[in-house]
Amino acid sequence: MRVSQLPMRRRVWNLGARVLLYLSAGLTCGLLVLLIGTICARGIRGINWQMLTTAESVLRGTVGILPAIQNTLFVIVLSLLIVLPLGVGAAVYLTEYAKNHRLVSLIEFATETLAGIPSIIYALVGVIIFCTALGLQKTLVSGALTLVIMNLPTIIRSTQESLKTVPQSYREGALALGSGKWHMIRTVVLPSSIDGIVTGSILAIGRVVGESAVLMYTVGLSTAMQDFSSLAAMMKASGATLTVALYIYAKERADFTTAFAIATILLGLTVVINGAAALAGKKLKKV
Amino acid sequence: MQAVFFLCGLVAVGFVLLITVYLVLSGLPAIRQIGLFDFLLGSTWAAGQGQFGILPLILTSVWGTAGAVLLGVPVGFLTAVFLAKVAPRRLADVVRPAVSLLAGIPSVVYGLVGMIVLVPWLRDALHLPAGDSLLAAILVLAVMILPSIINLSETALAAVPKEYEEASLALGATDLETYFRVSVPAAKSGIAAAVVLGIGRAIGEAMAILMVAGNVANMPALTKSVRFLTTGIAIELNYSAEGSLQRQALFSIGLVLFLFIMLINVLLDLVLKHDKEV
């Protein structure tokens, strides 16, 4: 029925509803544009080569966030190295091995619970368990271990979703050719669910890059260069990541040029990570 | 190999137990020393004077979350309807990545923009002595919960069977009447879940509101400086001595917050289960 043939009341209602829908979507996008505009307008002039490649120096009066970049990378690599095998293993167990229905729902409930816990609680957990009980102090290692717990649900979920889409016939084919179960998983199932594993990893990297509450209280607040030359040095390395550095510059030093420069970098990383996640989902989708 | 995978599967369960046990163990001593009643219903938090009442923090978290949901849900819900039903494909392909970008922006970045742009603006617009306030925190939270609400509601709306909508259209309803009177009611459990998820996000957010709320443990009022449960922990965690009553009280706040979150999780579970049954 054409809208113009409707009674007045329905016509007004329809028009009103349409206007509201467009307004809301416009508001959502407008907010994003406003955010990006504000951040870039104030942040871009603070970014330069020296800032990206040196540590800050009080003597020369220069700002540098290289230590924060290194610390962020270290936390990403270490937490991924631990969470990937754990998360993929758990997903494999849930989709390939588990027969006990109760146990599966218990594990899935635990995963959902972990996903719902806010990061300030993880910060407390990191402080209580890793920094204090295990005696790791405020180090990048403590932070990375805390983030392992936080990212476990992300990896489990995306791997599991991808495992579920591997056709049953692949598995039957491999088994019929005489492959053992583990061999079948390793050579057939896991390679065909690589898209989920990669997407999960990218999402996990995104969460580490954007995380601040956990890192604020577990990795320390130093903005000086850390030593990653030996294992013993790595265990002791303790310093701010990008998000923590942003907080320190904004809230404790009132250096907003640097804070916005870091915000611009974080925003850029978010764009790249989102793009990569979308791309990985598309490109790696089943050969 | 099965044993190895089995162990990996149990890790998540182990973590949940570990977190629960440690939070309870670290949270209880201070509550016992202060007294449950004085802790939960005490109206003054002054660590210096040994007063640890978290009623202002609890109320601030409740009001802050309610405010954020009140502002964020209508916008998020309508954006979801727009994306799932109304938007031309090209436009939706632009809006969707925008929403996921909004979800990916780190909370300190929201906090920074709130602190530098929103807070001074509120101060000038409302003629306040300082713009750091519950209102600023609510506005920041409302934006931050938008993506969760949009994503979950959109998924729910997209899953509504086409036949429902076709039947409604065939009976003479316009497209918009169909979306609001047929699709939305059919997707109501999913939309409810989106709201609950948004509540969880809002009540758990710490860093962004730490930068805009002023962090004085006042009883909540829109234009006053306030402290949430989350920011109550955040503001003092790095400055409290290990083993002190103050630090233990922070763990107790953590325990209270944890209970709030568990309650919300159970609620979410119920809403989603209900969805499956229908």
Side-chain angles (χ1 to χ4, degrees), chain A residues 36 39-40 47 209 261-275, chain B residues 101 105-106 109:
Chain A
I36 295 178
I39 294 163
C40 291
I47 303 177
V209 169
I262 300 175
T264 311
I265 293 169
L266 285 170
L267 189 66
L269 286 174
T270 313
V271 173
V272 171
I273 288 167
N274 275 3
Chain B
L101 189 55
I105 294 178
V109 175

Side-chain angles (χ1 to χ4, degrees), chain B residues 132-134 137 209-216 224-228:
Chain B
D132 307 81
S133 58
L134 178 60
I209 48 179
L210 181 63
M211 297 169 85
V212 299
N215 307 320
V216 182
K224 266 204 286 192
S225 167
V226 290
R227 204 183 269 201
F228 291 74

Side-chain angles (χ1 to χ4, degrees), chain A residues 139-153:
Chain A
T139 54
L140 293 170
V141 175
S142 297
L145 290 175
T146 316
L147 291 177
V148 165
I149 309 184
M150 204 174 103
N151 275 325
L152 190 64

